[in-house]
Amino acid sequence: RRIASCPSLFRCSPFSAILPRPENLAQRMRIDLGLFIQVFSLALLGGGRLVAGGGSSRERLSSKGIAQRIPDIEFTAQGGGRIPQIGLGTAGTFNSSAILSALKHGYRHIDTALLYGNQYAVNDAIRESGIERENLWVTTKVGFFPKNLMLPIPPLLKELLEDGQGYERRNEKTREDLGVKLSLQQLGLSYADLCLVHSPLSTGIELWGSFYPHWGLGGEDTAERTGWKTWALNIITRYLVPFTSRSGYKYRMAAWKNLERMKEEGLCKYIGVSNYEVAMLKEMDSYAKIEPAVNQLELHPLRQMREVQSYCQEKGIAVIGYGTEMLANHTAIREIAHKHRSTPFQVILRWRIQKGMVSIPRSTHWEHLRENLLVTNSNLLHLDRGDMEVLKALDEGRSFYWQTKNLETGVVKASNSTSKKRHGRQTKHREDEL
């Protein structure tokens, strides 16, 4: 009946929002014939509905008005909730049409930040989409800049800021309440679904020391670092950062207190943190009235942060992973992608999904937006046990964005010295499972 009533099955199918039409297939050889046949069969036999195995889902509308489902991740912190498992990262995206395109293709989770300088563009895209507010999940981040910079902003970061991501005093530590209100004004919203403390950094030296992966010094292998780079990195990360970060406790506490107040005032539905190591999460036990609902950080096969995964799983905290662009040419990941007739980016996104994480990939290209949604369907892409073991073995703690492992926490060493031994075996067992 569907074929008889429509000139093209794909034009009426839910897959029309994800795969190119047959007449364009010759120009887009990225879609494998086997995948095409599999999708075609699913559309005929199963109604073509994209449902990821397990968990609850929210109904979304594709650009063709056909319902599709993007799975949610459930968390229990802060009374519990669900967050769409695939979202759109918007760092570096200043064109509202690109964000609007994502919304038309079925995205309902938008991740932005006051630092990004693009919240007016997000506002325009949401307004033009006509999507009801309750059907959207909007995340913003505040409190990025240290209260006292002490040193100039790193040159590369300054270039990014001058390229549209501006320094804003209301984006400093201890001003998170003002940052939330400014973000909501720019977004044109009365509340945000999720507000995050953007960074645990509290001093200018910490900002420099944590920014070193952007200098091309992110590898753990010291053989990659020679001469003055090794000397400078050792001075900054081993001595200056731990020394100056001892005062960071009071700034992180103030930041969280501000977000707690914003939640109580109804401006943030949920609150959480970003780029927090386990020590910083444990540190929060000493000052947080409300536990974080989410921890967003760089997570990929080369930086798996198993201890963080384990701790967040134990506490019911949702984990949002970012960072895929740097791994496109990794040999092992490309081999797995070739095996499954997918892209390296899809392999990384699928790895996160099977680990129970949320992903917020960045893209402004319609074809990549559609490819990212495909990973939610285990019938189209599923990494087997062998694939997962290969990816697990790639972990080397390598950062491409921020490296915060050298930050000193204020009270965690004293308050957790006894509990560390008590929970050591349990934590090690959970990490081995991850």
Side-chain angles (χ1 to χ4, degrees):
R1 287 199 303 270
R2 297 174 72 185
I3 294 175
S5 63
C6 185
S8 168
L9 174 64
F10 270 67
R11 200 162 296 168
C12 292
S13 164
F15 294 100
S16 61
I18 300 174
L19 294 176
R21 296 188 182 97
E23 58 263 32
N24 293 331
L25 199 60
Q27 291 82 22
R28 304 189 213 284
M29 297 305 294
R30 299 179 62 158
I31 303 298
D32 181 82
L33 180 60
L35 177 61
F36 175 80
I37 294 173
Q38 185 178 10
V39 171
F40 191 83
S41 301
L42 285 170
L44 285 175
L45 300 177
R49 179 170 290 183
L50 286 178
V51 184
S56 301
S57 298
R58 300 180 182 186
E59 188 172 276
R60 313 291 187 200
L61 290 178
S62 73
S63 60
K64 298 296 182 182
I66 305 296
Q68 71 176 48
R69 291 181 180 270
I70 299 175
D72 292 343
I73 286 293
E74 187 172 353
F75 56 90
T76 58
Q78 292 183 30
R82 294 190 178 101
I83 179 171
Q85 197 167 15
I86 292 288
L88 177 71
T90 63
T93 301
F94 305 103
N95 190 339
S96 63
S97 63
I99 302 170
L100 178 60
S101 176
L103 293 173
K104 287 183 175 181
H105 284 102
Y107 287 80
R108 294 298 180 266
H109 175 183
I110 304 296
D111 181 275
T112 185
L114 186 55
L115 175 70
Y116 299 165
N118 64 358
Q119 294 188 135
Y120 284 117
V122 174
N123 180 344
D124 292 340
I126 291 175
R127 181 166 37 82
E128 291 177 35
S129 73
I131 299 170
E132 296 293 333
R133 175 65 183 94
E134 59 269 20
N135 293 327
L136 288 172
W137 178 287
V138 179
T139 296
T140 190
K141 300 178 280 290
V142 295
F144 176 82
F145 290 102
K147 179 65 176 176
N148 299 308
L149 284 174
M150 295 174 61
L151 288 173
I153 297 173
L156 179 58
L157 181 57
K158 187 175 181 180
E159 289 180 18
L160 294 174
L161 297 176
E162 291 175 349
D163 193 31
Q165 300 172 249
Y167 172 77
E168 163 64 59
R169 287 199 66 193
R170 285 168 286 188
N171 201 18
E172 288 181 352
K173 285 286 184 293
T174 74
R175 296 174 179 264
E176 289 76 14
D177 52 342
L178 300 178
V180 168
K181 293 175 182 178
L182 177 60
S183 290
L184 293 178
Q185 176 187 336
Q186 293 178 356
L187 290 167
L189 302 176
S190 60
Y191 72 94
D193 296 274
L194 178 63
C195 296
L196 303 177
V197 178
H198 200 158
S199 163
L201 307 176
S202 58
T203 69
I205 292 178
E206 286 181 1
L207 182 63
W208 271 87
S210 300
F211 198 71
Y212 73 80
H214 289 273
W215 306 350
L217 305 176
E220 296 299 306
D221 185 359
T222 55
E224 297 180 6
R225 304 192 291 262
T226 58
W228 69 270
K229 291 183 178 181
T230 301
W231 178 84
L233 190 62
N234 287 339
I235 292 294
I236 292 174
T237 60
R238 295 185 183 180
Y239 301 103
L240 292 180
V241 169
F243 176 77
T244 61
S245 64
R246 292 173 185 173
S247 63
Y249 171 80
K250 62 181 180 181
Y251 293 113
R252 287 190 290 272
M253 177 173 64
W256 189 249
K257 294 292 184 184
N258 283 331
L259 283 197
E260 286 181 331
R261 191 165 73 255
M262 293 297 94
K263 178 175 172 58
E264 291 168 356
E265 293 181 12
L267 301 183
C268 305
K269 189 173 182 180
Y270 297 101
I271 55 177
V273 294
S274 182
N275 302 305
Y276 270 49
E277 305 266 349
V278 170
M280 297 167 197
L281 294 172
K282 290 181 177 179
E283 178 188 68
M284 296 182 72
D285 292 340
S286 66
Y287 60 74
K289 292 190 301 182
I290 303 173
E291 59 190 342
V294 167
N295 186 16
Q296 181 183 119
L297 67 167
E298 180 185 352
L299 265 170
H300 47 70
L302 269 62
R303 189 181 192 248
Q304 300 183 22
M305 305 289 286
R306 294 176 198 168
E307 188 182 4
V308 173
Q309 289 187 56
S310 175
Y311 185 85
C312 291
Q313 183 180 5
E314 177 186 351
K315 295 291 186 179
I317 300 171
V319 175
I320 300 178
Y322 66 82
T324 58
E325 298 91 341
M326 308 298 185
L327 305 180
N329 294 318
H330 193 284
T331 302
I333 296 175
R334 289 182 67 87
E335 288 176 354
I336 294 175
H338 179 73
K339 169 185 172 181
H340 291 283
R341 295 165 177 166
S342 61
T343 70
F345 302 119
Q346 288 177 311
V347 170
I348 298 169
L349 296 180
R350 184 64 202 179
W351 174 79
R352 286 201 195 116
I353 285 178
Q354 292 183 208
K355 287 288 187 181
M357 306 179 208
V358 177
S359 281
I360 47 172
R362 298 184 296 177
S363 182
T364 58
H365 194 285
W366 67 269
E367 188 175 0
H368 295 161
L369 292 170
R370 293 174 177 181
E371 288 176 351
N372 292 341
L373 290 185
L374 280 172
V375 302
T376 63
N377 186 356
S378 59
N379 291 320
L380 298 179
L381 177 59
H382 181 78
L383 304 179
D384 58 36
R385 186 170 182 175
D387 299 329
M388 297 298 283
E389 288 297 321
V390 169
L391 295 173
K392 181 178 180 179
L394 298 182
D395 189 13
E396 57 185 48
R398 178 160 189 161
S399 299
F400 296 98
Y401 296 88
W402 302 97
Q403 183 55 272
T404 55
K405 68 178 182 180
N406 294 307
L407 301 185
E408 291 280 345
T409 54
V411 298
V412 69
K413 291 183 178 179
S415 63
N416 290 282
S417 58
T418 56
S419 62
K420 185 176 181 181
K421 294 181 180 179
R422 186 167 61 248
H423 296 294
R425 290 184 180 177
Q426 282 181 256
T427 302
K428 184 64 170 64
H429 176 68
R430 284 192 298 270
E431 289 177 28
D432 288 341
E433 289 180 340
L434 292 168

